Amino acid sequence: MAGSPGLTRRRLVAAAGGAALAAEPGPASAAPTLVASQFGAVGDGSADDTGAIQAALDAAFGAAPGTLLIPPGTYRITRTIRVLMSAGMRGRSGVSARGAHFYSAIEDGGNVFEFVNRAETRLVLIEGLDILGSRRDGHGIYIESRTQPFANFCVRDVVVQYCGGDGAHFVGNVSEGQVTNSYFRNNRGNGLTFSNGLPGGTVFAVHVFGCIFGENRRFGAALVNQCNDVAFHGCYFLTSGSYGLAADNGCTLLSNCGFENNCQDVASFTSDNAGVYLRNFGTMVACMGYSMLKQAWLVRGELDGQLVMIGCSGFGSADAKEAGLARLAGGVAATATVIGCSGAVTCDDGFEAVEIGGPGAGLKFGADWRSPALPRLGDYRLWIDAHGRLRLKKGVPSSDEDGAIVGT
C-alpha cells in the first residue's frame, strides 16, 4: 500500500478485530456484577455470614440475573443457602468465590449450597466455592432442575470436603455442561453424584475434567437413577469406601482416568472389588487401575450392552498382587472388546470377551457356541465344542453339535 509502509497485513487484521470488538455490546449491557460485602458479608471466620450471602445470591439470581463476587475470606454458614432460579436466565450469571472459604456449621443435615432451577436457565458459572463441611450437614453443593433445562453450565475450581452427604449432587434436567478442575474429598456420601429425576428430567451431555475424588466414604462418583450420559476425562479416583465410580446404567466415556486403592471399607481383597462398577455398557480409553490393598480390578462389569476398553491397564502389588484388568459377566446381547490392554480379564457365567493385542493376548475370541464373541468369516461362525473339536456353521449355531467339524 503506497504511502502507508507501516500498515502491514497483520496490523490490518488487528485493526479489523478491534473494530469488531468495539461494535459488541459494552459493560453497560452486560449482566450486573454484585459484591457480597455490599450485603454485609464479613468473612472473618467468626461472624455468621449466612444471611448476607443469602441476600447477595438472591440479588444475583433475581429478576435481573448477574454475577456475584465473594471476596477472599472465611465465611461461616449456619443454615442452608438456597438459590431459586425462576427468572429464565439465558445470559452469563453465577457466583465467583476465588479465595473465599465457607465453613459449614450446619447441624441438621441441610445442604450447604442449594441451586434449584424452575425456568430455562443457561450459562451459569459456579466457581471457586471452597466448602469445609461439618459432617452433620448434607451435600456441599446441590443442583436440582426437575422441569426446565439447566444447561451450558460450568462448575469449576471448587473444593468440597468433610460434608455429611455428597460433595456435589446434580439431579434432573442438567445438561450440556461441565465440572472442571475440582476436588471432592472425605465426604460421607459420594464425592460427586449425577441423578436423573425419575420423574423430572434427564442428565445428558455432561463432561467432568481433571477432578480428584479422594477418600469419600461411599463412591468417588456415582451415576444413579438410570443416568449414564456423563463422561470423565483425566480424573483420579482413590481410596473410596467402595467403588471409585459406580455407574448403575453404564457410562458414556472414561478417558485417561486413574483408579487407585478403592474399596477401602470392604473386609478384604476379593474378586468383587474394583475401581469401576459398570452395569449395562461403557467405553474406557487409557484408564489405569492400581492397588496395594483391596481393589482387585480396574473394572467390574455386569453388561447388557457393549463394553469397549482401549489401552487400559489393571495391576497391583503387596496385598493386591493378584489385581487385574477386568471381571466381566453379561447377558445374551452383551459384548466386550478389549484392545491393547494389560492385566488379566476374567469372565463369569460363560460370558466371553474379544481380546486384541496386549501382553500375551494375541487375538482371542469366544469359544462357546452361545458366545456373542465367536469369530466370524463372512456368514460363518467358528467355535470349539464340548469335545474339543473345531466346528463351522453358516449362520448362528443352534447347539454345540451344530455345524461341521473342521478340526480337532
Side-chain angles (χ1 to χ4, degrees):
M1 295 183 180
S4 302
L7 191 58
T8 63
R9 185 174 183 270
R10 179 177 295 178
R11 291 184 179 181
L12 276 172
V13 172
L21 288 172
E24 292 182 352
S29 63
T33 298
L34 308 176
V35 181
S37 56
Q38 296 172 325
F39 297 82
V42 178
D44 63 358
S46 59
D48 185 349
D49 283 312
T50 308
I53 297 295
Q54 180 69 70
L57 283 167
D58 287 345
F61 286 86
T67 298
L68 175 65
L69 299 180
I70 303 179
T74 299
Y75 298 86
R76 184 167 171 264
I77 306 299
T78 58
R79 65 181 185 276
T80 298
I81 294 175
R82 190 171 190 265
V83 178
L84 180 61
M85 296 174 282
S86 59
M89 296 179 291
R90 298 197 183 192
R92 297 186 182 277
S93 58
V95 53
S96 179
R98 294 181 180 274
H101 309 282
F102 299 88
Y103 169 69
S104 169
I106 298 172
E107 301 284 334
D108 62 358
N111 302 322
V112 184
F113 285 91
E114 286 188 359
F115 298 85
V116 179
N117 184 48
R118 294 289 184 266
E120 184 174 350
T121 299
R122 299 180 182 274
L123 297 174
V124 170
L125 171 65
I126 300 171
E127 67 172 352
L129 296 180
D130 185 349
I131 300 169
L132 183 66
S134 67
R135 290 191 178 276
R136 292 174 294 279
D137 43 20
H139 307 315
I141 300 171
Y142 176 80
I143 296 177
E144 175 189 306
S145 186
R146 292 185 180 274
T147 54
Q148 298 296 319
F150 181 79
N152 312 115
F153 66 91
C154 180
V155 175
R156 70 185 183 199
D157 304 332
V158 304
V159 177
V160 189
Q161 305 180 79
Y162 296 99
C163 286
D166 298 341
H169 191 105
F170 296 75
V171 59
N173 195 344
V174 177
S175 63
E176 300 167 336
Q178 57 185 255
V179 180
T180 302
N181 192 39
S182 295
Y183 186 52
F184 305 93
R185 176 179 177 266
N186 227 317
N187 299 289
R188 284 192 168 179
N190 307 321
L192 176 64
T193 299
F194 289 98
S195 173
N196 288 348
L198 292 184
T202 300
V203 177
F204 66 92
V206 174
H207 294 262
V208 182
F209 298 93
C211 294
I212 303 295
F213 306 92
E215 301 174 273
N216 297 287
R217 291 281 43 89
R218 196 173 181 215
F219 308 126
L223 310 182
V224 301
N225 288 342
Q226 301 181 19
C227 171
N228 57 43
D229 194 6
V230 178
F232 295 83
H233 313 271
C235 297
Y236 211 77
F237 305 75
L238 69 159
T239 56
S240 304
S242 186
Y243 301 112
L245 171 66
D248 288 341
N249 193 36
C251 182
T252 303
L253 176 64
L254 290 162
S255 67
N256 297 94
C257 292
F259 297 83
E260 179 180 344
N261 286 325
N262 293 287
C263 299
Q264 288 289 294
D265 289 347
V266 301
S268 61
F269 179 92
T270 71
S271 59
D272 282 331
N273 303 342
V276 183
Y277 173 76
L278 281 178
R279 185 170 182 83
N280 193 9
F281 78 101
T283 300
M284 302 179 68
V285 179
C287 292
M288 180 273 292
Y290 171 72
S291 178
M292 296 177 61
L293 300 168
K294 300 172 184 177
Q295 179 179 302
W297 307 98
L298 168 60
V299 59
R300 176 79 171 92
E302 296 180 350
L303 308 174
D304 295 313
Q306 182 181 57
L307 170 65
V308 176
M309 302 180 70
I310 302 173
C312 298
S313 62
F315 59 100
S317 61
D319 291 345
K321 60 181 179 296
E322 300 300 323
L325 180 70
R327 182 182 176 191
L328 306 175
V332 294
T335 62
T337 305
V338 180
I339 303 171
C341 297
S342 61
V345 176
T346 296
C347 295
D348 298 331
D349 302 325
F351 182 77
E352 294 178 297
V354 175
E355 297 181 55
I356 303 171
L363 185 61
K364 180 181 177 182
F365 296 96
D368 187 273
W369 68 276
R370 293 161 293 193
S371 173
L374 289 180
R376 300 186 184 186
L377 302 173
D379 294 333
Y380 292 84
R381 270 78 163 178
L382 282 166
W383 74 98
I384 299 173
D385 67 21
H387 304 287
R389 299 171 297 194
L390 182 64
R391 288 182 173 268
L392 179 69
K393 166 71 185 295
K394 185 174 183 179
V396 179
S398 57
S399 74
D400 192 44
E401 299 292 324
D402 198 2
I405 298 171
V406 294
T408 57

